[in-house]
Amino acid sequence: MKNKGIALLLWLSILSPMSQADFVRTIVFNLKPDCSRDDFMTIHLQMQEFSRASGMKAEIMVPVFGPEPLNVFAWVFRYPSATDWGKGNDAFWGGVYSGDPLESKIWIDIQECIDVQYSRGWRTMAK
């Protein structure tokens, strides 16, 4: 039994880096007064639809404890690499500036719904 537990921990430690992203972008925000969580989830689902091509995975995080007020949220995007993030970012802004219906709608909805506190990009040190 002890050896099985050690083997399981070894496999988890080997597979864990493969399941993590190389580049993570976080956007910390508050919802604007006229925007509900359901409104934001609609935006989130639209962003996921757009981002599937770049292998992005998105999560919404809500505070459980800490110094932040409970109305602060984090939108976390995980990309396979910084290059994939760059390609996705270029595609998004290219769509916004060219008037593409999906990207333009997402951008307008973001501006109407959330008040961004800060946005950061993070690169993992696994590589």
Side-chain angles (χ1 to χ4, degrees):
M1 185 69 164
K2 184 178 178 182
N3 289 338
K4 287 182 182 181
I6 292 171
L8 177 63
L9 287 175
L10 179 62
W11 272 109
L12 289 175
S13 67
I14 291 170
L15 295 175
S16 165
M18 290 183 231
S19 67
Q20 295 183 4
D22 184 45
F23 187 86
V24 178
R25 177 165 185 208
T26 58
I27 300 173
V28 175
F29 65 93
N30 301 94
L31 294 176
K32 291 185 177 178
D34 293 338
C35 184
S36 69
R37 284 186 186 191
D38 289 339
D39 294 334
F40 179 74
M41 287 308 295
T42 300
I43 298 168
H44 175 68
L45 293 174
Q46 291 169 340
M47 182 61 90
Q48 282 184 323
E49 179 184 332
F50 164 78
S51 298
R52 281 192 190 105
S54 61
M56 184 273 295
K57 295 179 183 175
E59 302 170 332
I60 305 299
M61 297 188 175
V62 296
V64 177
F65 63 88
E68 294 81 13
L70 294 179
N71 66 343
V72 173
F73 303 91
W75 205 1
V76 179
F77 301 92
R78 299 176 191 277
Y79 292 87
S81 69
T83 302
D84 290 320
W85 171 79
K87 289 176 185 176
N89 192 54
D90 289 348
F92 179 78
W93 288 110
V96 170
Y97 294 134
S98 69
D100 183 276
L102 178 61
E103 290 93 332
S104 297
K105 177 164 180 21
I106 293 170
W107 178 238
I108 289 167
D109 290 348
I110 286 172
Q111 290 178 309
E112 292 175 353
C113 192
I114 68 173
D115 183 19
V116 175
Q117 302 301 308
Y118 68 85
S119 176
R120 303 282 189 274
W122 306 85
R123 186 148 197 276
T124 63
M125 294 182 64
K127 293 186 179 190

